[in-house]
Amino acid sequence: MKSWYLLYCKPREELRAQQNLALQQVESYLPMIKESKKVKSITKMVETPLFPNYLFIHFDPTEFSVSKIHSTRGASRIIGCKEVMTPIDDRIINEIKRRVNAHIPKQEKGIQKGDKVKFTEGPFIDLEAIFEERNAEKRCYVLFNIMGQQKRILVDETSIQKCINTEHD
């Protein structure tokens, strides 16, 4: 009888294993979620595996060879594959599917006017300022307190980061 099993894949090869298993008519499920990733000061939404390096497979070990699965490109080994294989309850897979479908990714808004920022590099490192506005070519204006006076200065946007609010409302 077909059951769900957990397959450990080679690092970052879950999709390759899933494609190669599909060519062998083995059903699989790779739960993916959207997350915001920051790359070089640009935040974008990317789909990533909920369980990196793992893939759920649905097959009958008495009808399809376990060694064929182990030798599939991208796959490494079935978890719990000793003398008696450990199947995963269908309700767990259904609950994972339900939660993945209901997942709403957190959207990072980035730095907005009025946000408190902290310098991460340069001569003002670890000092705080108030973000005012973006300018061309990855530069921005911040309001900076110098000797009791607020000054507007132009800085490289990659040299600041938004201060994390640690106060609870």
Side-chain angles (χ1 to χ4, degrees):
M1 188 169 103
K2 281 189 173 184
S3 294
W4 286 100
Y5 298 93
L6 186 60
L7 176 67
Y8 180 74
C9 300
K10 292 175 181 163
R12 292 178 297 285
E13 292 203 7
E14 306 92 307
L15 287 171
R16 173 183 266 179
Q18 186 175 40
Q19 290 168 343
N20 288 313
L21 287 165
L23 292 172
Q24 299 174 64
Q25 277 76 50
V26 175
E27 181 186 353
S28 63
Y29 174 55
L30 177 60
M32 301 286 281
I33 58 168
K34 288 188 179 186
E35 326 181 287
S36 60
K37 292 270 185 184
K38 194 169 187 175
V39 179
K40 294 184 181 177
S41 76
I42 298 170
T43 303
K44 39 178 163 170
M45 296 302 287
V46 294
E47 267 201 333
T48 59
L50 180 61
F51 306 109
N53 301 335
Y54 291 94
L55 179 65
F56 295 100
I57 55 174
H58 194 238
F59 78 108
D60 185 345
T62 61
E63 292 179 11
F64 193 88
S65 170
V66 170
S67 63
K68 270 189 172 179
I69 289 176
H70 286 163
S71 63
T72 300
R73 286 188 69 151
S76 187
R77 68 183 185 287
I78 298 173
I79 303 298
C81 184
K82 304 280 187 226
E83 280 128 42
V84 178
M85 291 183 52
T86 310
I88 299 170
D89 192 320
D90 286 354
R91 292 174 294 189
I92 293 172
I93 301 299
N94 292 334
E95 184 62 16
I96 291 170
K97 286 179 179 180
R98 187 189 70 73
R99 289 179 183 223
V100 165
N101 291 335
H103 174 72
I104 299 169
K106 281 186 180 179
Q107 292 242 341
E108 195 175 299
K109 291 181 182 175
I111 303 172
Q112 303 292 314
K113 183 176 181 166
D115 285 346
K116 192 183 273 189
V117 294
K118 185 177 182 178
F119 287 89
T120 57
E121 57 187 48
F124 303 118
I125 194 164
D126 293 332
L127 297 178
E128 292 182 354
I130 304 295
F131 184 82
E132 189 175 25
E133 67 181 352
R134 282 181 179 76
N135 194 337
E137 298 169 23
K138 297 184 182 181
R139 294 182 66 79
C140 61
Y141 286 103
V142 295
L143 301 173
F144 194 61
N145 284 322
I146 300 173
M147 295 172 43
Q149 292 186 338
Q150 198 170 58
K151 298 290 181 186
R152 184 177 193 235
I153 60 173
L154 185 63
V155 298
D156 190 335
E157 194 168 347
T158 60
S159 70
I160 60 170
Q161 72 179 25
K162 187 174 178 178
C163 291
I164 298 167
N165 187 4
T166 55
E167 295 174 17
H168 296 286
D169 295 324

